Amino acid sequence: MSLWDDTKQGMESPSLGKELDDLEIYKSNLLLYSMVDRAYERWDDVVAKFAEVAPIEERLAQACRDANLIPKMRTHQLSAASCWAKAGNFHRAVLLADEMLADPDLDDRYRERMEGLRARWKERRATLIKTLDTEDEIGDTLGKSVK
Amino acid sequence: MEEEREPDVVQIGIALASHRIDATIFLPFLVTRLRSMTTTNEAMVTVLLHDIETPGEVRRDLKLRWNPDSEPRQPLGVGEKVITELAACGIANIVGNLYAGIVWRRVADEGDGFDYWVRQNTVREVGLEVSGTMTEEEGVLEARHREKVAQLLGSQQRVGGFVAVVSFTLRRMIVSFHLAPGEIYEPLG
């Protein structure tokens, strides 16, 4: 049906066993449903889905590493980091990006992409801390004035 | 000269439900877009297949039918652009499966440069980039297609794959296959 010879082109992605294959379907559905949640601006639901998907992606990445499926492992690693960031856990996202970037075999295009993402997540993390500090100062000041 | 053939007919609710991942979430969005094109519960779309069934371009007329019960009773309450994009995902899912035999495996990460990982019937996956528009100009649709091909092939994943762009106003869709840079075309058979 296609000119694509899928025994030769594309990325190798054999079964990881029923449990992990089912988990992959489950997390893909969560990501699809999050698209609709986003459309309706149901942000709590969106964040909850990303927070659920992120550790699944980490588990799938580990399974791919164990099976020596390195290109597929990287797709799960990237997705795990990205999902953690979308769930608001920039610290975990940056750690995963560090781990990917420490791999000397990482492709240049991938490296460039990950460096860009890591810089953005670090910036967001710093902004978050600054914002929380500012709010704490206001809270402290208010607390002192009440005393 | 290509011989005339009857339009292919698809019941969209059934087609979207026949996948490994839950593509039925696109149904209300796709029905909303198709409903605006017709007064009945079926709509015709012209599909231009590039390097899918044979080298070069092949045209297919596709009649999409839906159960009137699947029509949203109230407006969907989201922006028009969102409806168009999610409807495009729905029709790309159906058309990709019908003409290229592809099934959706997983949602790609936003940074991947494409939307979905897909495969035919073996163990290798390629990308699928989808885009929807309400443009009335064929040139705009073609430009969008070129832009999306560049996006797919520029991905850090370095895989080839499919691009599907649709204009619900023109009732026209382009679906194409592309090898990744460096991949060699190896004819089947």
Side-chain angles (χ1 to χ4, degrees):
Chain A
M1 291 184 88
S2 167
L3 299 180
W4 167 36
D5 180 350
D6 68 356
T7 61
K8 295 190 174 71
Q9 269 104 33
M11 188 181 67
E12 194 181 1
S13 180
S15 168
L16 294 168
K18 189 176 183 322
E19 188 198 346
L20 289 172
D21 287 352
D22 288 347
L23 201 57
E24 193 172 58
I25 296 169
Y26 176 71
K27 69 95 190 174
S28 284
N29 284 337
L30 285 177
L31 291 175
L32 282 181
Y33 302 147
S34 79
M35 288 166 68
V36 177
D37 288 334
R38 274 179 173 197
Y40 285 98
E41 301 186 354
R42 298 189 289 247
W43 300 116
D44 287 348
D45 294 337
V46 173
V47 169
K49 286 184 177 73
F50 282 124
E52 190 176 351
V53 169
I56 297 175
E57 293 283 24
E58 285 194 56
R59 193 172 161 200
L60 291 167
Q62 186 57 51
C64 288
R65 186 196 301 271
D66 295 344
N68 202 29
L69 298 167
I70 302 306
K72 190 171 184 203
M73 175 194 78
R74 294 207 170 107
T75 69
H76 289 301
Q77 281 179 320
L78 169 58
S79 186
S82 175
C83 287
W84 277 127
K86 286 172 197 150
N89 190 340
F90 296 110
H91 177 61
R92 184 76 193 142
V94 169
L95 286 180
L96 291 176
D98 285 344
E99 196 182 300
M100 285 184 79
L101 287 164
D103 179 353
D105 295 329
L106 191 67
D107 175 83
D108 287 349
R109 213 188 272 182
Y110 233 115
R111 184 171 295 282
E112 193 182 330
R113 172 82 188 138
M114 286 314 298
E115 280 171 350
L117 285 172
R118 182 175 65 174
R120 207 165 74 193
W121 294 333
K122 280 187 167 183
E123 201 180 302
R124 296 280 166 86
R125 191 172 59 175
T127 305
L128 182 66
I129 293 167
K130 283 183 217 162
T131 309
L132 291 173
D133 279 351
T134 309
E135 285 168 0
D136 284 349
E137 275 172 31
I138 293 166
D140 285 347
T141 309
L142 286 173
K144 279 168 193 161
S145 66
V146 169
K147 284 173 194 169
Chain B
M1 195 174 154
E2 206 177 323
E3 67 180 85
E4 284 292 316
R5 52 183 266 169
E6 289 293 306
D8 300 307
V9 181
V10 167
Q11 184 75 29
I12 61 175
I14 295 168
L16 289 172
S18 60
H19 285 268
R20 174 183 136 110
I21 61 176
D22 186 8
T24 60
I25 62 152
F26 301 119
L27 184 62
F29 303 97
L30 181 54
V31 168
T32 298
R33 272 291 161 267
L34 296 176
R35 193 71 185 80
S36 66
M37 293 161 47
T38 177
T39 54
T40 64
N41 63 327
E42 59 179 42
M44 187 78 92
V45 174
T46 299
V47 182
L48 302 174
L49 303 168
H50 292 187
D51 294 336
I52 302 285
E53 293 178 329
T54 58
E57 184 178 290
V58 170
R59 177 193 155 134
R60 293 282 177 259
D61 294 319
L62 177 62
K63 195 178 276 184
L64 297 157
R65 287 188 178 144
W66 59 94
N67 186 326
D69 292 343
S70 60
E71 290 182 14
R73 298 276 172 262
Q74 293 174 340
L76 289 171
V78 295
E80 293 299 313
K81 225 172 153 179
V82 172
I83 295 173
T84 303
E85 276 303 316
L86 293 175
C89 290
I91 197 169
N93 181 290
I94 293 167
V95 168
N97 186 250
L98 181 67
Y99 295 117
I102 56 174
V103 289
W104 292 16
R105 298 291 298 180
R106 349 181 230 138
V107 178
D109 187 76
E110 276 170 32
D112 278 343
F114 50 86
D115 298 316
Y116 303 96
W117 285 96
V118 299
R119 67 161 64 159
Q120 285 180 314
N121 49 14
T122 66
V123 296
R124 302 186 78 86
E125 294 176 349
V126 295
L128 166 65
E129 169 61 19
V130 180
S131 183
T133 170
M134 295 301 283
T135 185
E136 294 174 10
E137 294 172 46
E138 221 157 284
V140 172
L141 182 67
E142 286 162 5
R144 173 78 67 95
H145 178 255
R146 285 193 296 275
E147 182 192 317
K148 295 296 171 183
V149 172
Q151 189 180 313
L152 169 78
L153 298 180
S155 163
Q156 78 270 9
Q157 301 295 355
R158 295 188 191 273
V159 291
F162 297 85
V163 172
V165 295
V166 57
S167 164
F168 290 99
T169 313
L170 289 169
R171 303 172 187 208
R172 203 171 181 83
M173 183 167 188
I174 304 171
V175 183
S176 56
F177 175 71
H178 308 270
L179 292 173
E183 274 186 338
I184 299 163
Y185 167 59
E186 302 206 31
L188 289 168

